[in-house]
Amino acid sequence: MASGEGSRNSAAVRVALLGCGTVGTEVVRLITGQADDLTARVGAPVELAGVAVRRPHKHPWLTENFGDLVTTDAGELVTRDDVDVVVEVIGGIEPVRGWLLEALKSGKSVVTANKALLAEDGPTLAEAADASGADLYYEAAVAGAIPLLRPLRESLAGDRITRVAGIVNGTSNFILSAMSAGGTSYADALEEATRLGYAEADPSADVDGYDAAAKAAILATLAFHTRITASDVHREGMREVSSADVAAARRLGCTIKLLAICERVVDASGAESVSSRVYPAMVPDTHPLAGVDGAFNAVFVEAEAAGQLMFYGQGAGGAPTASAVLGDLVAVARNRVGGGRGPRESAYASLPVRPIGEVPTRYHVDLEVADREGVLAGIAGEFARHGVSIAAVRQTGGVNGAVDGDSGQARLTVVTHSAPEAALSATVSALLDLDHVLGVAGVLRVEGLGRAVSALGMGE
Amino acid sequence: MASGEGSRNSAAVRVALLGCGTVGTEVVRLITGQADDLTARVGAPVELAGVAVRRPHKHPWLTENFGDLVTTDAGELVTRDDVDVVVEVIGGIEPVRGWLLEALKSGKSVVTANKALLAEDGPTLAEAADASGADLYYEAAVAGAIPLLRPLRESLAGDRITRVAGIVNGTSNFILSAMSAGGTSYADALEEATRLGYAEADPSADVDGYDAAAKAAILATLAFHTRITASDVHREGMREVSSADVAAARRLGCTIKLLAICERVVDASGAESVSSRVYPAMVPDTHPLAGVDGAFNAVFVEAEAAGQLMFYGQGAGGAPTASAVLGDLVAVARNRVGGGRGPRESAYASLPVRPIGEVPTRYHVDLEVADREGVLAGIAGEFARHGVSIAAVRQTGGVNGAVDGDSGQARLTVVTHSAPEAALSATVSALLDLDHVLGVAGVLRVEGLGRAVSALGMGE
């Protein structure tokens, strides 16, 4: 491993790295380990100018091999004259926002994997980049190594994207896969994910859908040329998904996945809006997303001319994320060497955000009911009264074998046609007021994923 | 539909379109139909400066709506001063090569879908682009709408690609899907493909693998930074695939697909080379490529840091291909407006091409043998003598039910471990010399697709 010492080259593209955890360490390895390849691809050497970490003693590999590059003063590093590009892999909003804005204002290009910051305040960063003519790239912020943002931003720039939907959080997918495969509870599956290093000590960002919502905001912004922040994304986590839900999904030939969905919605008058949302949903086992297990990510993109595209790969991890960072680093370094810059942010469409209440999806509703005549008629009546059309009903227990001993209870499973969330919520409230409805055991959306389904040979 | 007449704008990016068949018509529709979107995304209007077609009377829609733009003189059009970008969707080597070279030499950027030309003479075009500082983009040349070249060239530019493998020819895949689903013969499936417009009157480019080989050359060139032409690609078509082969594959739990495979091969001494090849092969049904049916394309990319990625979508057709052309058009138009240019071709690695004889794969060998004692021992001995290790053997017919009436024949199916093509060929020749081997009914490669397999939960 070559030390950075004495290797300064005036024609080189000089990189400041902020953060040196799992991803940062891989970035250092790739920059230094394949220096010749990078030089050939960029047209000039790519050199590390400095690495900012908070506690250098926690990074023995870094300090041993690149001790002269290590600093604890990120603020100073990002404004140094000998730095051309700032690569940020720390994460979180503050103090990173200030450093990246400072770097962009002074004309340095920024490569970041920081989905939370981009989803909260991407426009401010983009404006700073535009003002100084610097590049702002962030492929690693969504779906790790999977090239997804560049295809949305560049390959499909001459098309009209209608939908981006998929699995973008590996931790929650790992937990759901474990629950599905082994019949384990959420708590046990989370414990295993934590033990294996897939989940953080505080798993909230993953299991409550914050991480997926940040990514959905970034995807929707690029896909629909409209600024969407994390707060525009309807978010439901997966803590409430029970073993019973997983079993109910299996009975329907489905698997539960935490999905991020971004859609261009066109209403009857032709007016367009954007819906972006994150929630656990049942997906038919025959759909390719149902087979995406463990820490993998997969995203479907639909565009008017291109039709349906699918992207699949590793959504997290040090090396895959570093691969995406390096791809961006090569791009901004090429721009430094050759002049010019990458595509700018574009939010010209400024579409309104559609409230979740107005977004139609299909639902699976599990009801505990009294095993009496006329129950189904009463329940079907409530669905009809709220304009929610029933696609299928199945009764278990009751006269054919009680659910709960001899209590006279039965279970009624209803799958609806597409209905707005508001109508479904109102239906569920009304059902709970019916005498013969003892409880609602579970409500889950069912996503056939639109045209994805027909292209892959499945009925809607 | 707005006419181009009178809409000339000095700040606009002016496009000359060569060819106006299925793809060209969609390109015209997209450029004119979403002019406002393109203007916002590019930062300047994108205007059609002219459309060159050989026989204008064969293009009534074009002449009716854009009559003032139509010309039969492509050579004059590409050198016109008011043209900034040339988009070529004619195909074939001559006379297109001359026009595109002329355009590039005069500093006009080129967007082309011409895989044959790129695979034969890409380097000459790339050098002309470099010399004048123009852009040369060709996403539409491989896998239609699927963003594949941009990810290889840009997203993975900081990684080390080890393998690109997949289904890149929709026509042959349609035929193989039909043979597999319906048990139809090659001839009948080809007839259906022709009737539905998936196959040309002369299907050779598709079924003999020329189209896939051209795409493999383009993919290998980008993935390994090494100039690979179509003649460097080992090519076997699919005309010889019989219903019996399809049935044999099914018995093994496999499906036959025409694959394009580009690999970085590292030998024991650490020396690197590139293998690129196109042939029909058995793929396990559990592998995602086995489920890619009809005219769809799917490509796996493996890189050292990124791990395994998969890209899936429509590989051909007017609208999908036009989507890829438009994505490139927006990119080169942005470069015109903002200065700078896209990544240049890079062939710095200059790896040698590995001869097919030295490339190891697994094989499925179907033998007709005499139903005598000691037959298996003799056959196994020949495999061993040539250094080809047997993974599994199955005998059908013979003592357990004759294959061919009561003739005393049996069928022996051998699946090998990985062996070089040269060793397998020598084994097959030697087998034919054995008294008790009556014939070789079929030899097909078996592709587990390397690490793809383990990542997706399948054993090698």
Side-chain angles (χ1 to χ4, degrees):
Chain A
M1 183 72 57
S3 160
E5 213 171 326
S7 61
R8 173 122 193 226
N9 177 329
S10 64
V13 176
R14 307 256 305 163
V15 179
L17 177 65
L18 308 187
C20 200
T22 322
V23 177
T25 301
E26 286 299 323
V27 169
V28 172
R29 277 189 213 280
L30 289 171
I31 290 178
T32 54
Q34 52 179 23
D36 291 346
D37 279 320
L38 291 177
T39 302
R41 295 174 193 180
V42 168
V46 175
E47 286 178 8
L48 273 176
V51 183
V53 293
R54 205 140 51 134
R55 299 187 201 85
H57 66 277
K58 294 216 169 180
H59 303 272
W61 176 80
L62 179 71
T63 48
E64 195 169 307
N65 291 284
F66 303 95
D68 52 329
L69 298 180
V70 176
T71 172
T72 55
D73 192 345
E76 188 267 342
L77 178 60
V78 300
T79 54
R80 258 168 52 186
D81 283 345
D82 67 330
V83 168
D84 301 303
V85 180
V86 173
V87 172
E88 184 263 316
V89 289
I90 298 174
I93 311 290
E94 299 295 357
V96 173
R97 171 168 33 200
W99 294 332
L100 298 191
L101 279 174
E102 206 55 51
L104 289 167
K105 279 178 188 159
S106 63
K108 302 182 198 324
S109 291
V110 165
V111 174
T112 173
N114 195 327
K115 61 213 123 204
L117 174 56
L118 288 160
E120 177 163 309
D121 204 15
T124 305
L125 295 176
E127 280 156 21
D130 282 350
S132 71
D135 276 328
L136 172 64
Y137 275 59
Y138 46 88
E139 181 68 74
V142 182
I146 308 173
L148 187 56
L149 304 192
R150 189 173 271 104
L152 287 179
R153 199 150 102 147
E154 303 183 41
S155 308
L156 293 166
D159 205 334
R160 216 174 108 87
I161 296 169
T162 51
R163 198 167 212 259
V164 181
I167 297 166
V168 296
N169 180 269
T171 304
S172 59
N173 198 51
F174 179 90
I175 294 171
L176 286 169
S177 296
M179 289 174 73
S180 195
T184 43
S185 69
Y186 166 74
D188 289 348
L190 172 61
E191 198 179 297
E192 197 196 343
T194 311
R195 191 172 54 77
L196 294 173
Y198 287 120
E200 315 258 342
D202 173 3
S204 175
D206 295 317
V207 303
D208 293 327
Y210 290 101
D211 174 81
K215 291 166 177 170
I218 294 169
L219 292 171
T221 298
L222 292 179
F224 306 123
H225 301 274
T226 291
R227 280 179 186 156
I228 302 289
T229 66
S231 60
D232 295 322
V233 181
H234 173 77
R235 181 188 50 75
E236 297 172 31
M238 52 150 295
R239 281 186 206 261
E240 307 297 314
V241 175
S242 65
S243 304
D245 290 328
V246 171
R250 191 172 308 128
R251 282 194 299 274
L252 282 175
C254 289
T255 303
I256 300 178
K257 294 293 184 188
L258 185 73
L259 300 180
I261 301 174
C262 308
E263 275 179 334
R264 183 192 295 272
V265 183
V266 185
D267 71 16
S269 73
E272 296 197 337
S273 57
V274 170
S275 162
S276 52
R277 49 200 204 265
V278 168
Y279 45 61
M282 292 187 184
V283 177
D285 286 336
T286 43
H287 192 284
L289 283 185
V292 175
D293 280 334
F296 278 80
N297 282 193
V299 176
F300 279 82
V301 176
E302 291 174 22
E304 286 187 354
Q308 181 170 72
L309 306 166
M310 185 174 95
F311 301 81
Y312 169 92
Q314 294 186 59
T321 307
S323 171
V325 168
L326 263 280
D328 281 354
L329 175 56
V330 168
V332 305
R334 276 173 177 161
N335 289 344
R336 291 268 142 185
V337 172
R341 58 185 293 241
R344 305 165 62 149
E345 294 303 299
S346 121
Y348 69 90
S350 287
L351 300 177
V353 173
R354 193 165 191 92
I356 186 70
E358 296 172 16
V359 176
T361 52
R362 303 178 72 183
Y363 287 88
H364 169 270
V365 183
D366 239 352
L367 299 169
E368 282 154 11
V369 300
D371 185 19
R372 254 182 261 154
E373 270 180 46
V375 168
L376 178 57
I379 288 169
E382 282 307 328
F383 276 93
R385 208 162 61 79
H386 291 90
V388 179
S389 170
I390 292 177
V393 178
R394 187 165 61 176
Q395 183 175 339
T396 46
V399 289
N400 301 312
V403 161
D404 186 14
D406 275 334
S407 62
Q409 285 186 18
R411 172 162 291 179
L412 209 63
T413 300
V414 177
V415 178
T416 74
H417 286 298
S418 263
E421 206 261 357
L424 198 280
S425 297
T427 309
V428 169
S429 297
L431 288 173
L432 284 167
D433 287 342
L434 293 181
D435 273 355
H436 45 264
V437 171
L438 308 176
V440 176
V443 177
L444 267 173
R445 292 180 179 81
V446 181
E447 287 284 347
L449 294 155
R451 286 184 288 171
V453 171
S454 52
L456 290 153
M458 295 164 40
E460 168 65 23
Chain B
M1 183 70 58
S3 157
E5 215 172 327
S7 60
R8 171 117 193 229
N9 178 329
S10 63
V13 176
R14 307 259 301 163
V15 179
L17 177 65
L18 309 188
C20 200
T22 322
V23 177
T25 301
E26 286 301 322
V27 169
V28 173
R29 277 190 213 280
L30 288 171
I31 289 178
T32 55
Q34 51 180 22
D36 291 348
D37 279 320
L38 291 177
T39 302
R41 295 174 193 180
V42 167
V46 175
E47 286 179 7
L48 273 176
V51 182
V53 293
R54 205 142 47 139
R55 300 186 201 84
H57 66 277
K58 294 218 168 178
H59 303 272
W61 175 82
L62 179 72
T63 48
E64 196 169 303
N65 292 284
F66 304 95
D68 52 329
L69 298 180
V70 175
T71 171
T72 54
D73 192 346
E76 188 267 342
L77 178 60
V78 300
T79 54
R80 262 169 50 187
D81 283 344
D82 67 329
V83 167
D84 302 304
V85 180
V86 173
V87 172
E88 184 263 317
V89 289
I90 298 173
I93 311 289
E94 299 295 356
V96 173
R97 171 167 35 198
W99 294 333
L100 298 190
L101 279 173
E102 206 56 49
L104 289 167
K105 279 177 189 159
S106 64
K108 301 180 197 328
S109 292
V110 165
V111 174
T112 172
N114 194 328
K115 63 213 119 200
L117 174 56
L118 288 160
E120 176 164 308
D121 204 15
T124 305
L125 295 177
E127 280 156 21
D130 283 350
S132 72
D135 276 329
L136 172 65
Y137 276 59
Y138 46 88
E139 181 68 74
V142 182
I146 309 174
L148 187 58
L149 305 192
R150 189 174 269 102
L152 287 179
R153 202 151 99 146
E154 303 183 40
S155 308
L156 292 167
D159 205 334
R160 216 174 107 87
I161 297 169
T162 50
R163 200 167 212 258
V164 182
I167 296 166
V168 296
N169 180 270
T171 305
S172 59
N173 199 50
F174 179 90
I175 294 171
L176 286 169
S177 296
M179 288 174 71
S180 194
T184 43
S185 69
Y186 165 74
D188 288 350
L190 172 61
E191 197 179 300
E192 197 196 343
T194 311
R195 192 174 51 78
L196 293 172
Y198 287 120
E200 315 259 341
D202 173 3
S204 175
D206 295 317
V207 302
D208 294 327
Y210 291 101
D211 175 81
K215 291 166 177 169
I218 294 169
L219 292 171
T221 298
L222 292 179
F224 305 123
H225 301 274
T226 292
R227 279 176 188 158
I228 302 288
T229 66
S231 61
D232 296 321
V233 180
H234 173 76
R235 179 187 51 75
E236 297 171 31
M238 52 150 294
R239 282 188 205 258
E240 306 297 314
V241 175
S242 65
S243 305
D245 290 327
V246 171
R250 191 173 307 127
R251 282 193 299 273
L252 282 177
C254 288
T255 303
I256 299 177
K257 294 293 185 189
L258 185 72
L259 300 180
I261 301 174
C262 309
E263 274 179 334
R264 182 192 296 271
V265 183
V266 185
D267 70 17
S269 73
E272 296 197 339
S273 57
V274 171
S275 162
S276 52
R277 48 199 204 264
V278 168
Y279 45 61
M282 293 188 182
V283 178
D285 285 338
T286 43
H287 192 283
L289 284 184
V292 175
D293 279 335
F296 278 80
N297 282 191
V299 176
F300 279 83
V301 177
E302 291 174 23
E304 286 188 354
Q308 181 170 74
L309 307 166
M310 184 173 93
F311 302 81
Y312 169 92
Q314 295 186 59
T321 307
S323 171
V325 168
L326 263 280
D328 280 354
L329 176 57
V330 168
V332 305
R334 275 173 177 160
N335 289 344
R336 292 268 143 185
V337 172
R341 57 185 294 238
R344 306 165 62 150
E345 294 302 299
S346 116
Y348 70 88
S350 288
L351 300 177
V353 173
R354 194 166 191 89
I356 185 71
E358 297 172 16
V359 176
T361 54
R362 301 177 74 183
Y363 287 88
H364 169 270
V365 183
D366 240 351
L367 299 169
E368 282 154 9
V369 300
D371 184 20
R372 256 183 258 154
E373 269 181 45
V375 168
L376 177 58
I379 288 169
E382 282 306 327
F383 276 94
R385 207 163 62 78
H386 291 89
V388 179
S389 168
I390 292 177
V393 178
R394 189 166 60 178
Q395 181 173 341
T396 46
V399 288
N400 302 313
V403 160
D404 187 15
D406 275 334
S407 62
Q409 285 187 17
R411 172 162 291 179
L412 209 65
T413 300
V414 177
V415 177
T416 74
H417 286 297
S418 264
E421 206 259 357
L424 199 280
S425 297
T427 309
V428 169
S429 297
L431 288 172
L432 284 167
D433 287 341
L434 293 181
D435 272 354
H436 45 265
V437 172
L438 308 175
V440 176
V443 177
L444 268 172
R445 291 180 181 81
V446 181
E447 286 284 348
L449 293 155
R451 286 183 289 173
V453 170
S454 52
L456 291 152
M458 295 163 41
E460 169 65 25

